[in-house]
Amino acid sequence: GVLDVQELEVGEDTTADVVALSWAMAPLLAKRRQSEARDLLQVLGQAEPADADFWNNLAFLCRETRRYEDSYAAYEKAVAIDDSSPRLLNDTALILQYHLHRDLDRARALYEQAIARADAGLDEKPDASTARALRSARTDARNNLSRLGSKGR
């Protein structure tokens, strides 16, 4: 049957249900049908799941399909739920800097936060894979911050 998001009742189980349903997009992505996967996630997003990965996935698909305002809105929801990921913070900022060309002070703050989160994560001596991801996110944030320069100030 067709999913009626309005019938989902908001609560603890809603997020789990929506996240589980979002896995239905995997076959669409495998077939490079990003627009359809994005549309599926946008419908599921009407239930406002409290899952940062859900919003990050929607943000990514919106970005890849050039829906930059939608991408930014989804990234902001992800960051509001969990602001500990340097990659997520960097990606939120780059939408502002490279695609929307606005709120550059916000982008700068997000890059700085991404760098600080990556440094803090590296101080905890993570496993090699996590350390690589943190270093990569930190490098990207530093590079983007450098390209931003004094714009927006």
Side-chain angles (χ1 to χ4, degrees):
V2 175
L3 170 67
D4 184 355
V5 175
Q6 293 177 347
E7 290 181 13
L8 288 174
E9 292 186 28
V10 176
E12 284 185 29
D13 295 329
T14 303
T15 293
D17 291 343
V18 169
V19 171
L21 287 168
S22 71
W23 286 102
M25 72 177 192
L28 296 174
L29 293 175
K31 295 177 184 174
R32 299 199 183 279
R33 293 165 59 182
Q34 292 176 327
S35 294
E36 291 174 49
R38 179 203 63 224
D39 293 346
L40 170 64
L41 287 182
Q42 285 183 310
V43 168
L44 293 174
Q46 292 174 27
E48 294 289 327
D51 182 84
D53 288 336
F54 172 88
W55 292 109
N56 184 40
N57 289 337
L58 175 57
F60 174 77
L61 287 170
C62 289
R63 186 176 83 193
E64 290 299 300
T65 57
R66 300 175 189 246
R67 302 264 300 266
Y68 301 123
E69 286 291 346
D70 292 337
S71 178
Y72 178 64
Y75 275 129
E76 282 291 359
K77 286 183 180 185
V79 167
I81 294 166
D82 179 8
D83 68 354
S84 67
S85 166
R87 176 60 57 202
L88 181 58
L89 294 164
N90 177 76
D91 290 353
T92 305
L94 74 78
I95 288 293
L96 290 171
Q97 180 178 0
Y98 296 111
H99 300 292
L100 296 177
H101 311 285
R102 64 175 171 84
D103 299 324
L104 299 181
D105 285 337
R106 170 79 174 134
R108 181 182 322 286
L110 287 163
Y111 289 136
E112 290 169 351
Q113 190 177 0
I115 294 164
R117 292 284 195 267
D119 286 341
L122 289 165
D123 286 346
E124 295 176 10
K125 308 291 185 224
D127 62 73
S129 174
T130 301
R132 264 192 309 279
L134 289 168
R135 281 193 298 273
S136 173
R138 181 179 62 188
T139 298
D140 289 348
R142 284 178 175 165
N143 289 341
N144 289 327
L145 185 59
S146 175
R147 287 185 193 109
L148 185 58
S150 61
K151 294 176 189 168
R153 287 197 166 176

